[in-house]
Amino acid sequence: MSPRPQDRIFYDFNYYNNVNAASNVYNRSPIKNMEAYRHMFGFEKTFDEGRGSFGMRLPIDTLTADGTARGVQTPTTTATGNLSLFAKYILKQNTKTGSLVSVGLAVTPPTAPGRFAGAPYVFGINNTSFQPFLGYIFNFGDFYIQGFSAFDFTSSARDVTLMFNDVGIGYYAYRANDPNSFLTAIVPTFEAHVNSPFTHRDWKNRYDVVGSADVVNLTYGLNFQLQRTAIFSTALVTPVTGPRPFDAELAVFLNIFYGRSRSGRIPIQPPPSL
């Protein structure tokens, strides 16, 4: 995602290694070596001369695991996730520098199975979530800062209410002099992402399946801008607080632009937040 409304179609892939290992050990769960795979497909379309946009995204999730006790079955399962609808709108922007502040809302109804990837050996609560957010981009020559703050409210008090804060910095290490070059920019980036639960904060409560801890993730990413057509991004994500929700995450993103974004009427810099 980017705080800027854009015309794009996109594909994301995320791999999570050793999911919930610490909490599984604490809860004496007969499950280990959980690995999650997520494929995300979506699109975004601008309106009002590019000041706003709407879109949707649909994940396809796969979960694998090993059982640690006799009779514990851990089949590999795949299922679609919840379909999300989102909208963004620019509150203020500097057209010369590309800096801006925007607001938005994502709504995710429970269109998927209640358990992640439909796996019978994991718990889950599935209801409608509402995520209002504030995003920003500040450009300083070849440097930029971008990020967002968001709340995640759900339609059930049985689920956790969260706040997300993300800030990233990036630098254009390479810009092609020829705009017709295939590779027009290389942009390394670093981000810090914080998940803060407001409710269900006791992750050690074995009777609360949504008990959550504060989580801080660090992201090390590299973006490749391909003409005005696409941005290919890859990143490594590592949690630095415990209990860690996973040991490491590999992320790969592809954004393909069309309409106002491809024609240059909407900037595609900086690359999307990882």
Side-chain angles (χ1 to χ4, degrees):
M1 295 289 285
S2 170
R4 183 186 305 282
Q6 295 177 320
D7 288 317
R8 65 187 179 114
I9 58 175
F10 57 90
Y11 166 75
D12 302 345
F13 171 76
N14 303 83
Y15 162 70
Y16 302 89
N17 173 257
N18 212 15
V19 176
N20 288 341
S23 60
N24 283 342
V25 170
Y26 177 82
N27 291 310
R28 302 184 181 93
S29 172
I31 304 294
K32 67 176 182 178
N33 299 332
M34 294 177 64
E35 296 184 323
Y37 305 81
R38 166 163 285 186
H39 302 268
M40 183 85 74
F41 303 88
F43 78 92
E44 182 177 353
K45 180 70 180 75
T46 61
F47 61 87
D48 194 15
E49 299 299 320
R51 286 183 286 269
S53 68
F54 65 91
M56 64 178 60
R57 55 189 181 221
L58 177 68
I60 300 176
D61 303 319
T62 297
L63 186 65
T64 68
D66 296 325
T68 61
R70 181 177 298 178
V72 176
Q73 302 295 319
T74 56
T76 297
T77 57
T78 299
T80 58
N82 291 333
L83 175 69
S84 293
L85 309 174
F86 63 88
K88 297 182 281 188
Y89 199 84
I90 295 173
L91 293 180
K92 186 74 172 179
Q93 67 176 325
N94 184 323
T95 56
K96 292 183 178 179
T97 65
S99 300
L100 61 83
V101 176
S102 63
V103 294
L105 174 67
V107 179
T108 306
T111 59
R115 301 169 187 261
F116 181 84
Y121 50 88
V122 296
F123 295 102
I125 294 178
N126 196 16
N127 49 70
T128 302
S129 70
F130 306 88
Q131 294 187 40
F133 60 86
L134 173 74
Y136 54 88
I137 299 171
F138 299 111
N139 290 314
F140 307 95
D142 287 335
F143 286 92
Y144 66 86
I145 299 173
Q146 69 176 346
F148 66 88
S149 293
F151 291 98
D152 186 5
F153 303 105
T154 69
S155 58
S156 172
R158 297 175 58 216
D159 209 344
V160 61
T161 298
L162 291 160
M163 184 176 186
F164 306 125
N165 285 290
D166 182 280
V167 60
I169 58 174
Y171 174 70
Y172 280 81
Y174 166 77
R175 290 184 194 254
N177 293 323
D178 182 1
N180 295 318
S181 299
F182 177 73
L183 178 63
T184 48
I186 300 176
V187 189
T189 186
F190 171 77
E191 292 186 23
H193 185 95
V194 181
N195 299 339
S196 305
F198 287 174
T199 60
H200 301 274
R201 289 185 52 85
D202 185 6
W203 70 270
K204 294 184 177 180
N205 183 354
R206 293 188 174 97
Y207 300 100
D208 187 356
V209 298
V210 299
S212 303
D214 295 278
V215 176
V216 178
N217 295 328
L218 301 182
T219 299
Y220 311 86
L222 191 60
N223 302 281
F224 301 91
Q225 181 178 309
L226 312 177
Q227 297 183 335
R228 293 203 60 85
T229 303
I231 293 179
F232 176 78
S233 308
T234 184
L236 175 67
V237 183
T238 57
V240 293
T241 57
R244 295 191 297 176
F246 49 86
D247 284 353
E249 173 194 352
L250 172 66
V252 178
F253 307 134
L254 178 63
N255 285 274
I256 300 175
F257 301 97
Y258 67 94
R260 294 185 180 93
S261 294
R262 180 175 289 192
S263 68
R265 286 178 288 168
I266 297 176
I268 62 174
Q269 295 101 347
S273 175
L274 297 174

